[in-house]
Amino acid sequence: LKVMTPGQKFFAQTLAVVCFLKGGCSLKTNFFVSYVRTFLSAFWMLSIINAFNLIDVMDGLTATVSIAVSLAFLLIALL
């Protein structure tokens, strides 16, 4: 209901990423050490959140992209 500044949006996105990381959503590979995995996971999640935030200004575009990406991930998971 109120317009947020970019700093407020970024803070909220970072808070959401911290909640995901605390919940155990991060890279599970042993290729990197733990702090690098955490950094890469946080960077990836912030990038995806901001990408969807940028395309959210056009009506229907975010929903269409989300459906397409979900179907692509479903296809990859089924294979």
Side-chain angles (χ1 to χ4, degrees):
L1 300 177
K2 183 181 138 191
V3 177
M4 296 174 68
T5 65
Q8 291 172 328
K9 284 183 182 181
F10 188 73
F11 176 75
Q13 292 167 358
T14 305
L15 186 63
V17 167
V18 168
C19 290
F20 274 115
L21 291 174
K22 284 288 192 182
C25 295
S26 64
L27 290 173
K28 302 296 185 206
T29 181
N30 290 328
F31 187 71
F32 299 113
V33 292
S34 64
Y35 64 89
V36 174
R37 286 190 307 235
T38 304
F39 174 77
L40 289 175
S41 297
F43 181 75
W44 177 256
M45 284 188 247
L46 276 173
S47 299
I48 297 300
I49 290 171
N50 276 310
F52 277 100
N53 192 19
L54 285 173
I55 63 172
D56 193 30
V57 294
M58 293 184 231
D59 292 337
L61 184 60
T62 302
T64 306
V65 170
S66 299
I67 291 170
V69 169
S70 297
L71 290 175
F73 279 139
L74 176 66
L75 181 65
I76 292 169
L78 291 175
L79 293 176

